[in-house]
Amino acid sequence: MSQANLVTVDYYRWLYNYSYRARDRVLAQVAKLDQDAYIAPRALDYGSIRGTLVHSLAREAVWLDRWQGNADSLIDEIDLPTFSTLIELWTREEARMRAFLNELTDPQLLLPISYESALTKNRYAIPLWQMMSHVVNHGTQHRSEVALALTQLGLSPGNLDLIVYLNPLPI
């Protein structure tokens, strides 16, 4: 099967809808935390719930910048000290992503996107569909880490599985 048969804009719009829905379920539980619990050190890759969420948002913004031919945005925890500042920026970034998805065409998904990493200064050229898949997968990883931390605090976001989003009916 060729790449052209594997990837469509409709699929990526659907996939990002699922990803944002799962993210929103996690964020709804994070909203119940006080600032101290939000920033408290935890056994997470980015040190806290805030650190993990900021990282996830920052990487999503970086990839969209690259797809649009812009320099990497460098968003850090210092830029988003509170949960409300994170939500404000993520709302803007999601709107930017959705605008990008609305303008995207199937042929564009197959085109390689060239970029230079702001961190490593290495240059890369990767097909857009692969980068878009990575962003969703990356978000799943960090969303899961935060979901576990929330569950340990008694604030589980519930089942975030894709099959639950699909809501299949019994036959």
Side-chain angles (χ1 to χ4, degrees):
M1 188 180 292
S2 74
Q3 288 179 356
N5 294 332
L6 289 174
V7 297
T8 67
V9 170
D10 286 340
Y11 172 73
Y12 280 97
R13 289 178 186 143
W14 173 84
L15 189 61
Y16 276 74
N17 283 339
Y18 157 71
S19 186
Y20 285 130
R21 179 190 167 274
R23 179 214 55 198
D24 289 347
R25 289 194 51 192
V26 168
L27 294 179
Q29 296 304 98
V30 173
K32 297 175 182 178
L33 298 174
D34 63 24
Q35 180 69 7
D36 288 340
Y38 180 58
I39 65 172
R42 301 202 186 281
L44 297 167
D45 284 349
Y46 293 91
S48 66
I49 290 172
R50 177 183 65 182
T52 303
L53 292 173
V54 169
H55 169 77
S56 190
L57 165 59
R59 301 324 295 160
E60 184 177 308
V62 161
W63 285 105
L64 182 55
D65 286 337
R66 292 169 178 174
W67 304 340
Q68 295 178 324
N70 301 321
D72 290 359
S73 297
L74 299 178
I75 301 167
D76 200 292
E77 283 185 70
I78 198 158
D79 303 316
L80 302 170
T82 65
F83 182 66
S84 63
T85 57
L86 175 102
I87 292 298
E88 288 172 24
L89 183 55
W90 218 330
T91 299
R92 287 194 307 269
E93 287 302 319
E94 180 182 343
R96 229 171 45 102
M97 181 66 77
R98 289 189 182 278
F100 175 80
L101 289 166
N102 286 337
E103 298 296 319
L104 193 60
T105 64
D106 287 347
Q108 288 173 307
L109 289 168
L110 301 176
L111 297 176
I113 304 291
S114 297
Y115 67 93
E116 179 179 307
S117 168
L119 299 174
T120 66
K121 302 301 181 197
N122 292 332
R123 293 208 47 81
Y124 302 90
I126 302 169
L128 178 58
W129 74 269
Q130 292 178 2
M131 289 190 247
M132 293 181 74
S133 297
H134 165 72
V135 169
V136 171
N137 189 61
H138 182 262
T140 298
Q141 175 184 337
H142 295 302
R143 185 170 58 243
S144 297
E145 293 169 353
V146 172
L148 175 60
L150 289 167
T151 299
Q152 291 169 344
L153 293 169
L155 295 170
S156 174
N159 193 332
L160 303 174
D161 283 342
L162 179 62
I163 199 70
V164 173
Y165 176 73
L166 294 171
N167 193 27
L169 300 174
I171 53 172

